Amino acid sequence: MTDNSQKMNYHIGEAKGQAQIHYIEKANNMMDKASHAAQSAKESMQEAGQQIKAKAQSVADTVKDATGINK
């Protein structure tokens, strides 16, 4: 009886360990996806910022040209 009990406890522990590993791997995968999404959002925002900056500079140059400030 003790031998069977020890084997059962061993298998329960083994199953528990495998479940924990699976959970950790899944959590790591989700964190990786979140990190990639955040990086992508950051890059998109930087690109949008550069486009806005370029348009603002263009508008400023147009106003300077129209008012004669550039001359």
Side-chain angles (χ1 to χ4, degrees):
M1 193 73 104
T2 303
D3 191 38
N4 283 342
S5 178
Q6 287 175 336
K7 284 181 184 178
M8 191 165 58
N9 283 338
Y10 172 79
H11 289 300
I12 289 170
E14 192 174 57
K16 182 179 176 185
Q18 288 175 354
Q20 287 174 336
I21 289 170
H22 178 72
Y23 176 77
I24 291 169
E25 287 173 349
K26 204 164 194 162
N28 284 341
N29 190 345
M30 289 174 64
M31 290 295 289
D32 286 344
K33 286 181 181 179
S35 177
H36 289 351
Q39 182 63 32
S40 179
K42 176 183 174 188
E43 290 168 3
S44 294
M45 293 301 291
Q46 287 175 334
E47 185 176 326
Q50 290 297 326
Q51 290 174 354
I52 291 169
K53 182 179 175 183
K55 287 185 191 258
Q57 185 62 53
S58 176
V59 168
D61 290 342
T62 300
V63 169
K64 286 178 185 178
D65 289 341
T67 58
I69 295 175
N70 258 354
K71 294 178 183 178

